[in-house]
Amino acid sequence: IVAFPFEDIYIDRRHILHTLTKKEEKIVFYVALLTASLGIGGIRAIVCPLSAYNLQDCGSKELLSFFNWFYWLINLNSAVVFVIISYIQQSVARNLGFLIPFVSMVMAMITIHMVRGEMIYKPKTDSSLLTTFGMIGSALKTCCMRYRYFNGGLANWLDHAKENFGGQYSETQVESTKSLARLFPLFAFQILYRTCITQIPSGYYLQTMNSNLHFSGFVLPVAAMNVISIVPLLILVPILECINSYLFSSKDAGRSPTIYIVVGQFSAALSVVVAGFSEIHRKHFPQVEQTLSEEVLLVSSMPCFHLAPQYILLGVAEALVTPSCSLLSFRLVPERVRGISMHFLTLFNGAGCFMGAFFVQTAHAGSQGSWFPHLLHEGKLERFFFFLASLMMVNTLGFWTIAHRYDNLNLEFTNEFRGSLPEEKLLKPGKATKHYDSILENSPILSPME
């Protein structure tokens, strides 16, 4: 709805529904961006964990299959948006291009309201995000206050939050948070990867906009190039599912997801390298005039399809990295903090988008407009791509060195973090025989409850 003020809407030539100034249009535009970002963040943080909660008892193979098909459906939807709606918005009617998503969202809200009874998941009251932050703050406070006395005495600094060591949180809560903290390096290495993905709406978008978009007599929408990055994901997911089904048994977890993440991040780095060479190649073509949204621009005569390899490589990266990261975020933590883990993954992905915007602004200001120019044919955008690719290669090597920490997907967690408490470890058969062989030599195996 907020898009309508950007053009005067006529009932007829004598009646204009509004006449907003440019300043008022900007205010409306930024309010729209803010509300859209809040909505998107809420959807991403809630919908995927809510769907996966039904798979609490499934193995790693079933979870990976779920996340693969979950993101496959999302990208199938995106392909329709980038082809149909973007074409309507650019070539038919700009306001109609905004009206279609609005009607779609209204229908979605009505549908969710109708089935809300089946979508309610109530997490434990002691596993909220505030509890997690409170636990971290309590551990830091106690650690600082008792540094002289506990220096080297505890294996993990979060242990200071336990009741046994002067904190106010149970051992189950602290152990759950410790398992979540183990994933922070994984999340951190996704920031630079997500920065590469944001080149599609920034650097790659500029390259496409300054290339020849004419194809068989009509002008392709710039956003249609995004479909090229979606196609590899739509193709790879069924192929990966077939490979996992035929090569691995139902009890086998298959390949470690960390391998997919390393290969995917390398593919993202390679994509940015190819983008740099494509920019050099694009400048060798003569310039022609091209009309976009009623504005005449001087662009390269190079067909936009020459940019397809860099989009394809990013699509391959997304097909490998995103489902695997979701699997690790969900599988390697106990049930009580799985929703929080998925929220942190979304948060770090958002941080990667901010990092991408920061890189663009820094490159533009630091190079005085050369590395990220206003007029693409007069600048050196390829240098920015090569710089980002070098950072991404270092990021990939860094993650590869710690990937072994996340290889074990057979960790079993229960509601009460079975096997994490010292008293429960002593009750395991091997431990019990080792420490109390004289007493429990002929005793039956005790359950954790006993």
Side-chain angles (χ1 to χ4, degrees):
I1 292 178
V2 82
F4 281 85
F6 292 98
E7 292 178 356
D8 293 335
I9 304 173
Y10 295 90
I11 297 177
D12 55 43
R13 289 295 178 181
R14 294 172 297 178
H15 298 85
I16 302 176
L17 295 185
H18 78 86
T19 52
L20 292 180
T21 63
K22 291 295 182 182
K23 182 178 180 180
E24 292 171 336
E25 288 183 359
K26 285 186 177 181
I27 293 175
V28 173
F29 176 69
Y30 285 115
V31 170
L33 282 182
L34 177 61
T35 54
S37 63
L38 291 176
I40 293 171
I43 291 173
R44 289 184 176 178
I46 293 174
V47 172
C48 188
L50 188 64
S51 304
Y53 276 130
N54 296 323
L55 304 173
Q56 297 283 8
D57 299 327
C58 294
S60 302
K61 183 179 177 181
E62 290 79 7
L63 283 173
L64 182 59
S65 177
F66 165 77
F67 287 116
N68 276 331
W69 288 111
F70 180 85
Y71 290 109
W72 186 87
L73 288 172
I74 289 179
N75 284 273
L76 180 64
N77 183 22
S78 300
V80 175
V81 171
F82 289 134
V83 172
I84 299 177
I85 296 181
S86 62
Y87 175 76
I88 293 174
Q89 188 172 356
Q90 178 173 303
S91 303
V92 180
R94 182 182 301 178
N95 294 330
L96 185 60
F98 286 100
L99 184 62
I100 294 174
F102 166 71
V103 175
S104 174
M105 287 305 301
V106 171
M107 295 176 63
M109 287 189 291
I110 293 174
T111 305
I112 291 174
H113 179 72
M114 293 171 62
V115 298
R116 67 188 184 282
E118 301 177 4
M119 301 179 66
I120 295 176
Y121 177 83
K122 195 172 183 179
K124 296 180 181 297
T125 56
D126 60 347
S127 60
S128 65
L129 190 61
L130 290 178
T131 303
T132 302
F133 283 130
M135 195 180 311
I136 295 175
S138 175
L140 289 174
K141 181 180 178 180
T142 308
C143 186
C144 293
M145 292 176 60
R146 304 186 179 186
Y147 177 77
R148 295 180 180 179
Y149 306 100
F150 289 94
N151 187 19
L154 296 178
N156 193 294
W157 62 274
L158 281 172
D159 289 334
H160 289 94
K162 294 181 179 179
E163 295 173 340
N164 298 339
F165 299 100
Q168 53 183 339
Y169 297 93
S170 67
E171 186 151 0
T172 302
Q173 291 176 304
V174 175
E175 292 295 333
S176 299
T177 304
K178 286 167 66 175
S179 66
L180 177 62
R182 288 181 60 247
L183 294 178
F184 280 0
L186 169 69
F187 297 154
F189 278 107
Q190 300 311 306
I191 293 178
L192 201 57
Y193 164 75
R194 192 55 54 180
T195 300
C196 293
I197 298 299
T198 57
Q199 294 311 304
I200 290 181
S202 56
Y204 292 7
Y205 182 90
L206 287 178
Q207 282 185 300
T208 307
M209 188 177 68
N210 286 271
S211 302
N212 187 6
L213 294 171
H214 288 84
F215 177 75
S216 299
F218 65 94
V219 180
L220 290 173
V222 179
M225 290 296 292
N226 290 23
V227 179
I228 298 179
S229 67
I230 295 175
V231 169
L233 190 146
L234 298 179
I235 296 176
L236 276 178
V237 167
I239 293 177
L240 291 175
E241 284 298 305
C242 292
I243 293 176
N244 289 334
S245 298
Y246 284 104
L247 294 185
F248 305 107
S249 63
S250 58
K251 296 182 180 180
D252 192 354
R255 296 280 183 182
S256 172
T258 55
I259 298 177
Y260 296 146
I261 296 176
V262 171
V263 175
Q265 291 193 355
F266 177 77
S267 179
L270 188 60
S271 170
V272 184
V273 172
V274 172
F277 286 111
S278 298
E279 179 61 18
I280 298 175
H281 175 66
R282 191 188 61 80
K283 293 178 181 178
H284 292 161
F285 287 79
Q287 290 186 316
V288 295
E289 291 186 351
Q290 182 170 262
T291 303
L292 285 179
S293 298
E294 301 179 356
E295 185 176 350
V296 179
L297 302 174
L298 277 177
V299 302
S300 172
S301 59
M302 183 191 79
C304 61
F305 293 108
H306 287 200
L307 303 174
Q310 63 199 56
Y311 282 91
I312 292 174
L313 288 170
L314 272 190
V316 172
E318 275 289 84
L320 297 175
V321 173
T322 303
S324 300
C325 285
S326 298
L327 170 63
L328 294 177
S329 303
F330 191 86
R331 180 68 176 173
L332 293 181
V333 294
E335 178 183 344
R336 65 195 316 119
V337 293
R338 279 175 174 171
I340 298 175
S341 177
M342 300 295 290
H343 296 164
F344 271 110
L345 177 61
T346 305
L347 180 65
F348 276 84
N349 286 340
C353 297
F354 277 101
M355 183 67 72
F358 173 76
F359 276 4
V360 169
Q361 187 65 29
T362 304
H364 176 75
S367 64
Q368 298 180 348
S370 175
W371 280 25
F372 221 96
H374 291 292
L375 298 176
L376 213 55
H377 61 279
E378 296 179 358
K380 300 290 184 181
L381 183 61
E382 64 274 9
R383 295 182 180 178
F384 172 77
F385 286 142
F386 291 145
F387 172 72
L388 182 59
S390 62
L391 292 180
M392 189 60 206
M393 284 301 302
V394 174
N395 186 82
T396 304
L397 292 175
F399 177 76
W400 180 65
T401 59
I402 67 166
H404 63 277
R405 303 182 186 179
Y406 310 107
D407 285 342
N408 185 12
L409 295 179
N410 296 320
L411 296 176
E412 293 296 336
F413 300 108
T414 66
N415 295 342
E416 300 301 328
F417 209 90
R418 180 180 299 173
S420 65
L421 304 182
E423 58 268 23
E424 291 179 3
K425 291 181 180 179
L426 292 177
L427 290 176
K428 289 184 179 180
K431 297 290 184 180
T433 304
K434 180 178 179 180
H435 294 281
Y436 305 108
D437 51 349
S438 61
I439 300 176
L440 299 178
E441 183 177 0
N442 298 319
S443 301
I445 298 175
L446 300 178
S447 67
M449 183 62 67
E450 293 169 337

